[in-house]
Amino acid sequence: MPNDATLLLVDKNVVEQLLVPDDVIAAVREAFKLHGRQAGRVFPVVREKLTTGGVFGIKSGDVSSQNLLGFKAAGFWPSNRSIGGEAHQATVLLFDPATGRPLCVIDGNAITTARTAAAGALGLSLLARQDTAVATVFGTGIQAKAQLGLALRTLPLLKNVYYVSLDREPQADFESLFAGQCILRCATNADEAVAQSDLIITATTGGGPLFDEAALRDGTHLNCVGADTRGKRELAAGVLDRARIVVDDLEQARELGELQWAPHAPAIEMGDLVTGRSRWRREPADISVFDMTGLALQDLTVARLIHHRATELGLGVTASWPW
């Protein structure tokens, strides 16, 4: 047995340095292609509440033709905020599929943020009206910032943005991040903001409906991020009945996403759009929803990108890991 085996450890600072948005979007598109062609497998998701108040999950999968195997262990621990920590925690491990030996341990928080935002951007490029000019963003946290940042890059006419914070109060850090990129307003009335918007981004903890269904006007697209666990939702009853629905994975969306509240609603998978197996043509009055629960394949393709770049540039810490 070899005793000179090593394990690469890549911390958050290195990950953030290596996450180039266009490259992440390309990696996420590749993940959807693999999923659509059934060239990559997504294994059953683990998502369980803990007695500590946290939620622990595992998303795993493989792409045998590309020697890609791994998982992301992740979850949500809201009490972390009281000690100055990040509530979302994630770690990605990549393995050699031939031997089962670990290749790389990567901080997964930045990967999760980046790949989810990239999926949102891909959804906007394929599903939203390209003349979108007004948006409403629910949430002001890391994911809301990432989603809006790529939305402004993806939709060139998007200039006016309402945001709805938890307490309906202005958030200085959120506003400063987008200064000069758009006209940003804190909305005290969510329904009024939604009624004026072409795009809705929901990036909250999924504690319940964020706006009234009647406020949603024809022609609007929704990128929905926060429903990723049984019992979570961000959309009011009736929204999905009016919408054309796209999901990242149909089974997963019906179990964990917005589709758990309307499991029999027709939906297509993003992988089928990316590969051309399904066609999408937006009519002016269409309401569309992209229900994002997050694919293991997204984590793996982005983690592979990080692993390769870190290795090429000599970044990260290499630890002895003998058999």
Side-chain angles (χ1 to χ4, degrees):
M1 287 291 182
N3 290 313
D4 59 349
T6 60
L7 177 64
L8 182 64
L9 310 177
V10 186
D11 68 22
K12 62 172 292 185
N13 296 324
V14 174
V15 173
E16 290 172 353
Q17 176 183 341
L18 297 176
L19 286 171
V20 178
D22 287 342
D23 295 339
V24 176
I25 291 172
V28 168
R29 181 184 285 271
E30 170 69 6
F32 283 124
K33 284 183 179 179
L34 291 167
H35 192 52
R37 293 171 178 163
Q38 299 182 341
R41 294 190 296 174
V42 175
F43 303 148
V45 173
V46 173
R47 192 77 174 173
E48 298 294 338
K49 293 182 179 179
L50 306 176
T51 58
T52 60
V55 177
F56 178 70
I58 296 175
K59 290 182 176 178
S60 58
D62 74 345
V63 184
S64 60
S65 63
Q66 299 181 4
N67 292 320
L68 183 59
L69 171 69
F71 69 83
K72 181 178 75 176
F76 185 69
W77 284 264
S79 61
N80 285 1
R81 295 182 179 129
S82 66
I83 56 174
E86 169 56 45
H88 291 92
Q89 292 296 314
T91 304
V92 179
L93 277 79
L94 297 180
F95 297 87
D96 175 3
T99 64
R101 293 288 295 170
L103 301 173
C104 191
V105 179
I106 308 174
D107 180 277
N109 279 13
I111 286 178
T112 301
T113 299
R115 64 82 155 151
T116 307
L122 186 60
L124 295 181
S125 66
L126 295 176
L127 307 175
R129 286 170 30 212
Q130 296 309 296
D131 64 348
T132 292
V134 183
T136 293
V137 179
F138 287 87
T140 58
I142 292 173
Q143 187 54 230
K145 293 172 181 174
Q147 289 284 336
L148 179 55
L150 286 188
L152 290 168
R153 287 187 44 174
T154 305
L155 300 170
L157 299 182
L158 177 57
K159 300 299 181 184
N160 292 278
V161 178
Y162 296 97
Y163 72 95
V164 183
S165 62
L166 183 62
D167 59 6
R168 301 298 195 268
E169 294 292 329
Q171 304 294 311
D173 68 322
F174 191 79
E175 294 189 5
S176 65
L177 186 62
F178 300 103
Q181 298 183 56
C182 62
I183 299 171
L184 195 62
R185 302 180 182 91
C186 180
T188 57
N189 187 306
D191 287 347
E192 289 181 2
V194 167
Q196 300 177 63
S197 297
D198 311 307
L199 167 65
I200 311 298
I201 296 172
T202 62
T204 73
T205 56
L210 299 172
F211 58 90
D212 191 82
E213 175 267 331
L216 192 64
R217 68 182 185 182
D218 289 347
T220 304
H221 174 72
L222 298 90
N223 267 0
C224 300
V225 182
D228 59 1
T229 304
R230 287 184 295 273
K232 283 189 175 185
R233 72 184 307 173
E234 295 178 308
L235 301 182
V239 171
L240 294 181
D241 294 333
R242 296 173 59 191
R244 297 175 65 189
I245 305 166
V246 177
V247 300
D248 40 26
D249 181 88
L250 189 54
E251 181 178 351
Q252 193 169 287
R254 285 173 173 163
E255 180 181 358
L256 305 174
E258 289 294 339
L259 217 58
Q260 68 184 285
W261 306 103
H264 301 297
I268 60 176
E269 292 189 343
M270 177 60 73
D272 288 338
L273 290 182
V274 171
T275 58
R277 292 180 62 187
S278 295
R279 301 293 180 183
W280 179 275
R281 179 178 177 180
R282 167 175 280 282
E283 299 298 335
D286 283 346
I287 293 172
S288 53
V289 169
F290 184 21
D291 184 10
M292 292 182 278
T293 55
L295 286 178
L297 293 176
Q298 295 169 244
D299 297 310
L300 297 186
T301 55
V302 176
R304 177 176 59 189
L305 174 68
I306 297 298
H307 182 207
H308 287 173
R309 289 219 171 133
T311 302
E312 290 170 358
L313 297 173
L315 299 175
V317 176
T318 300
S320 175
W321 204 258
W323 286 43

